[in-house]
Amino acid sequence: MKQLMMIGFGAMAREVLALLPAELSLKWLLVPAARVAEAQAELGPAVTVLSRVEDCAATPDLVVECAGQAAVREHGSAVLARGWTLGLISVGALADEALARDLRLAAGQGGGRILALAGAIAGIDGLAAAREGGLESVTYQGRKSPQSWRGSPAETLVDLDGVTEPTVFFSGTAREAARLFPANANVAATIALAGLGMDHTRVELVVDPDSRRNQHRIRASGRFGELDIALSGLPLAANPKTSTLAALSVVRACRQCTDPLVI
Ligand SMILES: NC(=O)C1=CN([C@@H]2O[C@H](COP(=O)(O)OP(=O)(O)OC[C@H]3O[C@@H](n4cnc5c(N)ncnc54)[C@H](O)[C@@H]3O)[C@@H](O)[C@H]2O)C=CC1
Ligand SMILES: O=C([O-])CC(=O)C(=O)O
């Protein structure tokens, strides 16, 4: 039986835990220090709940982060420096150049690997392959309900309560989007990493009062031809900002860790 360490125990982590492949068991959970006792009581003795990577003496087969960009900053280097593989869902953390450099350095020195998970979007495989032949342009549009944008800077850019039609409230680069909207625009950074980079990927963010979906659209062109991918995702009931598919992409990484056929 392979052993998993998970960082975070919010909406996404709980969905992942519910769908974990039978060949992988959750052995360690990393949460903020103030939440350790509560999570330990909920999960029982089969899982060791910690607040620091340093307190795990064994070697997980896989570490998956489902906790946010701040958690990547807090724990990422310690995981990679130990030579462990880190499946990253808060890929927007890599929009911070200094952090991205530190993580690469820790991975290089310790032998760890960073898996940037596709998250809430589809098409990352095709885009990353297309990049090998040369890309001309990549654009991303993210469209969510007012409820999904609450608690983000969208509140100061558009009237979330009064909006009556789909409205673009942000237009900029993937780097700006991922940093300004850390709980909503990680996918912008993922698309950038697969394609033209953080500063050459154009991003539009839209509030749509008539939709309950998290909608994502990638358009790209290059030597391969053109790509146009639209995804209409259902949010998790426990967090309207987070698409169900993002949690499922973490489950996929867990499956890839255990199955000899990797797809
Ligand atoms: N790539 C993608 O497509 C997507 C990525 N995300 C990322 O996933 C993250 C998690 O999403 P949800 O579970 O829906 O959010 P959530 O807010 O429901 O849960 C986050 C959990 O992480 C924990 N946490 C926060 N800081 C931590 C730290 N330093 N160490 C350990 N645990 C920590 C919190 O206590 C909370 O339980 C988001 O913040 C976002 O960064 C979310 C949606 C899509
Ligand atoms: O779950 C989604 O639809 C996308 C998301 O929040 C993110 O990219 O951070």
Side-chain angles (χ1 to χ4, degrees), residues 131-210:
R131 178 184 57 184
E132 301 295 342
L135 285 164
E136 279 148 24
S137 96
V138 181
T139 63
Y140 163 68
Q141 189 189 74
R143 180 186 287 231
K144 296 186 180 183
S145 68
Q147 198 195 359
S148 295
W149 291 113
R150 269 186 230 295
S152 82
E155 286 180 332
T156 60
L157 298 172
V158 63
D159 176 6
L160 290 177
D161 293 317
V163 74
T164 55
E165 57 186 34
T167 305
V168 177
F169 62 85
F170 170 88
S171 186
T173 66
R175 190 184 304 281
E176 291 161 345
R179 297 193 70 169
L180 277 171
F181 301 90
N184 275 306
N186 288 283
V187 292
T190 312
I191 292 161
L193 288 175
L196 279 178
M198 298 283 178
D199 301 312
H200 294 100
T201 305
R202 297 301 303 173
V203 173
E204 265 184 12
L205 300 177
V206 180
V207 57
D208 184 346
D210 300 320

Side-chain angles (χ1 to χ4, degrees), residues 6-14 30-33 35 50-51 65-72 74-75 88-92 117-121 144 181-188 190 214 216 236 238-243 245-247 249:
M6 190 151 67
I7 308 179
F9 198 37
M12 187 186 297
R14 285 165 189 276
L30 228 66
V31 297
R35 310 215 86 109
L50 306 167
S51 62
E65 171 274 319
C66 308
Q69 296 185 15
V72 179
E74 189 179 339
H75 304 298
L88 210 60
I89 199 70
S90 301
V91 180
L117 305 182
I121 42 167
K144 296 186 180 183
F181 301 90
N184 275 306
N186 288 283
V187 292
T190 312
N214 290 346
H216 305 282
L236 288 174
N239 186 355
K241 291 181 168 56
T242 295
S243 297
L245 191 65
S249 85

Side-chain angles (χ1 to χ4, degrees), residues 18-72:
L19 296 172
L20 214 54
E23 300 77 17
L24 186 68
S25 73
L26 178 65
K27 191 76 177 65
W28 302 274
L29 178 71
L30 228 66
V31 297
R35 310 215 86 109
V36 169
E38 180 193 347
Q40 189 66 76
E42 183 177 338
L43 288 166
V47 180
T48 302
V49 182
L50 306 167
S51 62
R52 292 159 20 106
V53 174
E54 291 76 0
D55 294 334
C56 175
T59 301
D61 293 289
L62 175 68
V63 182
V64 289
E65 171 274 319
C66 308
Q69 296 185 15
V72 179

